[in-house]
Every structure is written in structure tokens, then in C-alpha cells.
Amino acid sequence: EAQVTQNPRYLITVTGKKLTVTCSQNMNHEYMSWYRQDPGLGLRQIYYSMNVEVTDKGDVPEGYKVSRKEKRNFPLILESPSPNQTSLYFCASSRLGQGENEQYFGPGTRLTVT
Amino acid sequence: GENVEQHPSTLSVQEGDSAVIKCTYSDSASNYFPWYKQELGKRPQLIIDIRSNVGEKKDQRIAVTLNKTAKHFSLHITETQPEDSAVYFCATSGGSYIPTFGRGTSLIVHP
């Protein structure tokens, strides 16, 4: 089954404790990205990647890191989480091509930083 | 970069009425225009999309129209049902393939 998976689905942590949210897709997609969703602000892009070892900042990259060592995986790293990073996070992937950019979203990770 | 404006932010209708959500975009190179539906507690999922060489596309009760000259596209839902209640996002992408999303419309269908 074609899918995007994220782990964990829920996470409560404390300020400053490093964490990683994993994202994996089995569709051989070139493009992967991370979004955060906050009430009234829609989906804001954090980072994206167009290929292995190629990553770029989105609209709200501060406080986050990513890596793309393999095509299928795109982990999101919070080195020192702060309460303003409490949010719902979605990973997404897609093909790259004219009119082929349907985004497939993971199930979401709800993060609370206290 | 691309800018996508989506209106309204909230739309409340009675069951059976029609609902229309409109998005405007700025990049004339945009050529792919999808709409995603996000039910409460779920992930966004594609419900319909349109490419720049087509002016309208229908799928049962939903349709999307595109006006490339005016740079706007709209989602039309007819005979709304309570299960249509969700947040709807429009998006665009073009030569860079990087999607830009609207801020979303919360559609509430009252039984």
C-alpha cells in the first residue's frame, strides 16, 4: 500500500530536550517536505527536499533541521525545542513533474513542548 | 515567490445548499491546481485537481474551475452533506514543482 508514515504520532516533551520525528514514504517520490499546522495559519512549510542530500528552507525553518540521506526518509529534528514549536506536524511527499505534484501527507504528529 | 489567497476562511451552509471557495494566485507559471480536504483529526487528502490546459473539471458533486487570465480558481460543492464539513485547502505549483497552499477554508454544513 502506497503511504507516508510518521512517528511518533503524539509527543509531549520539555523545553530543550532534542527530538526527532521520522517520516518515510514507499512511493519512490523525489520530493519530500515538512509542514506545521496551527489554527488560522494553514499549512506552513518548514523544509523541503527535492532529492537525496538536497534540502532547502521553507517559510518557517527557524529551530528545525532536516536531513535526506536516503530517498525514502526525511526526518525532522528539533535540537532544542521551545513551547512555540507546539504544533501539528505533517510530512508530505510527491513526484516531481509537470502536473504531477499531488502531495501525499503522513498522518501527522502532534507535538507539545512544555 | 508564489502567493495564494483563499476565501472565505469560514463558510457555513445548510445541507443541500451549494458551497464555493475561491483562490487567487500570483505566479503566471503555475500550472497545477489541486484541492485538498482535511477532516477533523485527519491528514489533508486530494479531492480534485485541474491542470492549466483545462478550464473546468467535475467529479460527482464537486467541480473546480480555472481562469488563468484572472489567475483564480474555485471549488464548487453542490448538494452539500454533513460529511462535507472539513477544512479545504487550495494549492498551486508550477515550474519549481514546490506547492504553495492557501490558508484553508473551514466548511460547516448544518443538517
Side-chain angles (χ1 to χ4, degrees):
Chain A
E1 179 192 354
Q3 60 180 350
V4 179
T5 57
Q6 286 178 236
N7 282 290
R9 295 289 314 279
Y10 303 90
L11 180 59
I12 300 174
T13 190
V14 296
T15 299
K17 186 176 181 182
K18 181 180 178 180
L19 66 93
T20 299
V21 184
T22 64
C23 173
S24 184
Q25 51 93 5
N26 63 0
M27 294 169 279
N28 202 35
H29 286 165
E30 299 90 353
Y31 183 83
M32 297 186 74
S33 62
W34 277 101
Y35 296 88
R36 61 177 289 173
Q37 185 175 25
D38 303 288
L41 298 178
L43 295 163
R44 294 185 293 167
Q45 191 175 55
I46 302 169
Y47 270 93
Y48 64 92
S49 168
M50 290 196 156
N51 211 332
V52 175
E53 302 291 0
V54 179
T55 63
D56 270 301
K57 295 178 181 178
D59 299 316
V60 289
E62 294 77 21
Y64 304 94
K65 284 175 57 177
V66 293
S67 69
R68 187 94 181 269
K69 292 185 170 58
E70 305 162 284
K71 196 171 186 179
R72 63 183 295 128
N73 296 323
F74 192 45
L76 179 70
I77 302 153
L78 285 71
E79 295 268 5
S80 183
S82 62
N84 64 10
Q85 293 177 298
T86 292
S87 188
L88 177 60
Y89 292 85
F90 286 102
C91 179
S93 72
S94 75
R95 293 172 58 186
L96 285 176
Q98 291 291 337
E100 299 287 345
N101 311 119
E102 175 187 351
Q103 298 296 305
Y104 292 81
F105 287 87
T109 295
R110 187 165 292 281
L111 173 65
T112 302
V113 184
T114 61
Chain B
E2 173 71 286
N3 182 43
V4 177
E5 300 276 345
Q6 182 172 345
H7 297 281
S9 56
T10 305
L11 180 57
S12 185
V13 300
Q14 288 295 129
E15 183 176 359
D17 287 351
S18 294
V20 181
I21 304 169
K22 183 174 178 179
C23 286
T24 60
Y25 61 98
S26 59
D27 187 354
S28 56
S30 293
N31 55 27
Y32 178 62
F33 307 90
W35 286 89
Y36 296 84
K37 176 183 181 182
Q38 184 181 25
E39 296 176 353
L40 190 63
K42 302 277 184 69
R43 72 191 82 187
Q45 289 189 290
L46 181 78
I47 54 170
I48 194 167
D49 57 13
I50 193 168
R51 289 164 178 79
S52 59
N53 58 345
V54 176
E56 183 176 358
K57 184 177 179 180
K58 280 186 180 180
D59 183 3
Q60 299 183 339
R61 295 187 298 107
I62 61 173
V64 56
T65 58
L66 171 65
N67 184 326
K68 285 215 77 178
T69 303
K71 296 200 188 100
H72 65 73
F73 58 111
S74 300
L75 178 70
H76 305 255
I77 306 174
T78 58
E79 300 171 28
T80 54
Q81 301 167 4
E83 51 265 39
D84 295 328
S85 296
V87 177
Y88 292 82
F89 292 97
C90 65
T92 68
S93 62
S96 71
Y97 309 124
I98 300 168
T100 301
F101 285 87
R103 284 201 172 187
T105 296
S106 178
L107 173 65
I108 303 162
V109 181
H110 298 280

